[in-house]
Structure formats: structure tokens, C-alpha cells
Amino acid sequence: MKNKIIDILFGLAFFMMILLPLVFSDKEGGKVASDENRILAMAPSSFALHEGLTTEIENWINDNAGGRSIAKQFNNFLTYGILNEFRSESAIVMNDWYYALDSEDLILNNITHRDVMTDEESKVFVSRLEDINNFFNDNGIRFCAITFPYKVDIYSENLEGYLTQVVPNSEISLMGTLAELHPELNFTVVDSELKDAAAAGKLVCYRSYDGSHWNAQGILIGYKALMNQIQAVMPEYSIRILDDLDFNVEVIERTNTVLDQKFQEEDVSYSLKAPTAYNNQEWFTQINYTANDPWRSARCYETGDATKPNILIVGDSYIWMQMFPWIAESFNKSVFVHQFDEDNIQRLVDRMHPDIVVFAGLTTTIEDLVHYSALTTEKTTWNRMFF
């Protein structure tokens, strides 16, 4: 009886060992592994006999099974935990530049150009941007949109030797082509200005302090492009556009530590010499507004100058983290809400009566925001939701 129990236990142990590779297999095979800067093998497309099938299966097993993730964690503990070498599951270091990633792999997809719209998607993008222009114009409101490149688009040379771009054309390049072909869209793509500044030796993105954003010099370039676009669609107003003389400029030395790895860089900070716009966050409380984005990035600035127009901007962190107070200098009331709050656009329009609405942010932000046009025809539904 005792021997039978031992046999059963050994049998169960053997069965569990067989299952371990399946339990610890990579359930998201085929993705770029951010902690290894490599691409995992895709599962074989078909198990029907064909040349190379054996190699495909072997590659997939080697990359995705056999407790690979556990082995990586143990290796990382030894290599990086004890030896204190740099590693991050949410970052890539390319040519000593730090690039932050995210859980949705937006930046990885952009780096490898996996996010480029197809011809059909491009047609839909143009059509919906046309709808948005028409919708706001019909309501006596001007509209424009502006998009910005990811950090890696500006410093693409950092890719060399690390990651391979799946297709040669980038999303920012495609959007630039669409903007040129359709000037009626009031759509600006800020790309060449940043690349030219970088080529001239300016630091327009944080080298390591921030994994994806521009620094103050890059923000100023994006700001001027945005304000010029606003002036173009509102020629009846004399829109004030700040220049270098409006700022106190300071060169700073920064040391940033990311997972015990020290980065050093020289940067430039910009602060307004004589700001006139003040932050009025109570306005959102007065209209009983609740933000949907986790960063609570909604902003309201006022100058108290009724001769200036009102502006509503819907976008991402490239606006609210530093650029927004500069924009507010040129308007009476300036309101920013995150793209995650796009369902509240009509509510805000009815509350603040903007003279212009602006969609602004990274390419992925603008791609998401153009779907707003699918909601604009459902104003009665929105009324039931918010009023």
C-alpha cells in the first residue's frame, strides 16, 4: 500500500512538471519584450506540414515555454539586483537615452511603426476630421487639430542596433502627408521643426529625466506651431504668441536616477516673466464637473480680458503639464480636459461657450479623438446623460 501511494505521488509530481511549461508560458507571445529589447517568436501559423515548420515550433517553444519568464526573473535578480545593473520592465535604454514604455505598448508600437494607419483607416481619419470641422463650424465655433511626434521619432538614430521598424513610413510622417493633402482639415503636424532643432544641436526632449516627453525647448516649438495654427483659423483676432523674450531662461544641470542607474544631462527651463492668466480650478466645481482621467489634469485659466476669445483644448500631457499656462496668456478663459474626457466635450461647450475648440496631442491621441465625430450627432443622448 505504501509503495502504491509513493507511485501515485511520483506520478502526480511528474504530471505537474509536464504542465509547468504551459503554466509559465508567455501568454502574449509575439510581442516586443521590453526587458530584453527583442521580439518573441510567434506561434506557428499552421501545423500543416511545410518547410520550416520544425524550426518555427522550436523557436516558439524556446521563446515562450519552459518557464522562460521565471528564468528571466531569477536572472534579473542575480544580474541587476545583486550586481546593480540597469534594468526596467517598462523602459528601453538606447544609446544611453531612456525611453519609457507603457502597459498598452503604445510607444513600442510607435518605435517599430506597427501603428501606421492603413489606406482605409486614413480615409476614415480624414472623413471624421472633416465631420468635426463641419460640426463646430455649424455651431459658430472654430476648430483645429495639432499632433506631435513621439520622442523616438525625433531621435530616431537611437534605434540603431536595438529595434527594427516593421514598415519604413512612420505614423507622424503619414499624418504630415494627410495634412498637406487636406488643408481644409485645419490640421497641423509638428515634426520637421523639432527634428531640425534636434539636428542643430538643441535638446528638445528629455534625454533621461523623462522617458517620453519633450523638454521646455521642445514644448516652446510645439507651442508656437499650435498658436500659429490657431491664428490661422481665427484671423479676426490678434492672437498673442509668446517668444523667447517673454521667458526667464535658465540652464540647469540634472542628475536623474532610474532603478539605481544615474543619468546626467544639461537642460533649459522656461518660466514666464509676467504671467497674466491665473488658475481657476473652482470653475469645474461650479459646473459640477468630474474628470474621468486618473491624472485629474483638467485645467481652467482666466485672464479676465473679455476682448480675448475663449478656448477649449482636449488633449494629453504634452499640453497640460507645461504648455497650457503659456497658451492661456492669449485667451480670456482657457479650459483643458484630457482625451479620456472626450465624452464631456459638449457639456463643456455649453458651459463655457468657446470661440475655438482644439484637439492636441500625440498621434495616438488624435487618432482616438477623431472618433468624437461619431458622437456629435447624438447631442440629445448627451443631454440625457449630463443634464
Side-chain angles (χ1 to χ4, degrees):
M1 181 66 179
K2 185 177 180 180
N3 290 337
K4 187 174 183 180
I5 293 175
I6 293 176
D7 289 342
I8 293 174
L9 290 176
F10 272 110
L12 289 174
F14 178 73
F15 182 70
M16 290 177 63
M17 291 179 67
I18 293 176
L19 291 180
L20 279 177
L22 296 177
V23 174
F24 294 112
S25 65
D26 179 10
K27 305 303 190 301
E28 295 183 302
K31 284 197 167 186
V32 175
S34 59
D35 55 351
E36 293 185 330
N37 290 357
R38 64 196 294 273
I39 298 178
L40 298 179
M42 295 291 290
S45 57
S46 171
F47 281 95
L49 292 177
H50 66 272
E51 185 178 354
L53 174 62
T54 302
T55 301
E56 287 183 15
I57 295 176
E58 289 177 352
N59 288 341
W60 184 84
I61 291 175
N62 288 337
D63 265 348
N64 300 283
R68 180 179 182 84
S69 60
I70 298 298
K72 286 193 297 181
Q73 291 178 26
F74 181 69
N75 175 72
N76 292 330
F77 169 73
L78 294 177
T79 305
Y80 306 102
I82 295 178
L83 300 179
N84 200 31
E85 293 184 14
F86 180 83
R87 174 190 180 270
S88 172
E89 289 186 350
S90 59
I92 286 181
V93 179
M94 294 185 290
N95 290 319
D96 203 29
W97 280 59
Y98 167 57
Y99 291 82
L101 309 178
D102 53 67
S103 59
E104 298 178 355
D105 290 336
L106 293 177
I107 297 177
L108 278 174
N109 286 335
N110 179 263
I111 289 174
T112 56
H113 294 174
R114 294 171 183 263
D115 61 350
V116 180
M117 289 184 287
T118 64
D119 290 343
E120 188 60 34
E121 289 170 339
S122 296
K123 292 177 183 177
V124 173
F125 178 85
V126 169
S127 175
R128 296 199 175 193
L129 209 45
E130 287 177 342
D131 290 344
I132 294 172
N133 272 277
N134 293 334
F135 171 77
F136 285 116
N137 286 332
D138 290 345
N139 286 274
I141 301 171
R142 305 300 174 87
F143 173 82
C144 69
I146 187 167
T147 193
F148 313 125
Y150 281 94
K151 176 178 177 179
V152 73
D153 285 310
I154 304 171
Y155 295 99
S156 57
E157 67 274 9
N158 289 349
L159 283 175
E160 296 177 4
Y162 289 86
L163 293 171
T164 301
Q165 293 167 331
V166 178
V167 293
N169 194 32
S170 66
E171 185 74 334
I172 194 72
S173 176
L174 172 60
M175 286 191 168
T177 300
L178 295 178
E180 291 178 2
L181 293 175
H182 302 277
E184 73 280 2
L185 298 178
N186 297 319
F187 179 43
T188 299
V189 177
V190 185
D191 186 25
S192 59
E193 302 94 326
L194 290 160
K195 291 177 180 176
D196 289 345
K202 279 191 175 183
L203 184 71
V204 298
C205 292
Y206 293 113
R207 179 170 169 270
S208 56
Y209 173 73
D210 186 292
S212 60
H213 289 93
W214 307 337
N215 66 353
Q217 293 186 97
I219 290 171
L220 186 60
I221 293 172
Y223 159 82
K224 290 181 178 180
L226 171 57
M227 297 303 288
N228 284 321
Q229 176 65 33
I230 291 172
Q231 178 67 85
V233 299
M234 304 183 74
E236 70 275 23
Y237 289 95
S238 179
I239 303 295
R240 180 190 175 196
I241 302 178
L242 304 175
D243 58 30
D244 290 27
L245 296 178
D246 292 299
F247 296 92
N248 293 311
V249 182
E250 180 184 2
V251 178
I252 57 176
E253 297 287 340
R254 179 188 292 115
T255 299
N256 188 43
T257 302
V258 182
L259 296 179
D260 299 322
Q261 171 82 6
K262 291 187 180 299
F263 294 95
Q264 292 182 330
E265 63 183 354
E266 182 181 278
D267 199 2
V268 180
S269 68
Y270 286 74
S271 60
L272 284 170
K273 291 180 179 178
T276 60
Y278 61 92
N279 191 351
N280 180 18
Q281 291 301 107
E282 292 183 0
W283 182 78
F284 291 104
T285 303
Q286 293 168 1
I287 66 170
N288 196 28
Y289 183 86
T290 301
N292 294 319
D293 74 286
W295 305 280
R296 296 295 185 263
S297 60
R299 299 285 188 272
C300 177
Y301 277 65
E302 297 180 3
T303 59
D305 188 348
T307 64
K308 296 178 180 179
N310 295 331
I311 184 171
L312 169 61
I313 304 180
V314 188
D316 56 27
S317 57
Y318 280 65
I319 300 296
W320 68 266
M321 287 183 70
Q322 187 168 349
M323 191 189 300
F324 187 67
W326 304 354
I327 297 170
E329 290 294 305
S330 303
F331 297 90
N332 176 36
K333 181 190 290 289
S334 305
V335 173
F336 170 90
V337 293
H338 196 272
Q339 67 176 108
F340 290 175
D341 282 345
E342 64 178 330
D343 287 353
N344 285 330
I345 293 176
Q346 188 61 52
R347 184 186 188 196
L348 291 166
V349 167
D350 292 342
R351 291 299 194 271
M352 67 168 292
H353 308 292
D355 296 287
I356 183 170
V357 173
V358 177
F359 287 178
L362 292 168
T363 53
T364 46
T365 296
I366 299 301
E367 288 170 359
D368 289 341
L369 283 175
V370 296
H371 292 287
Y372 169 71
S373 62
L375 303 174
T376 54
T377 58
E378 302 296 333
K379 188 173 180 179
T380 54
T381 301
W382 289 32
N383 287 337
R384 287 198 296 271
M385 291 170 62
F386 298 118
F387 296 90

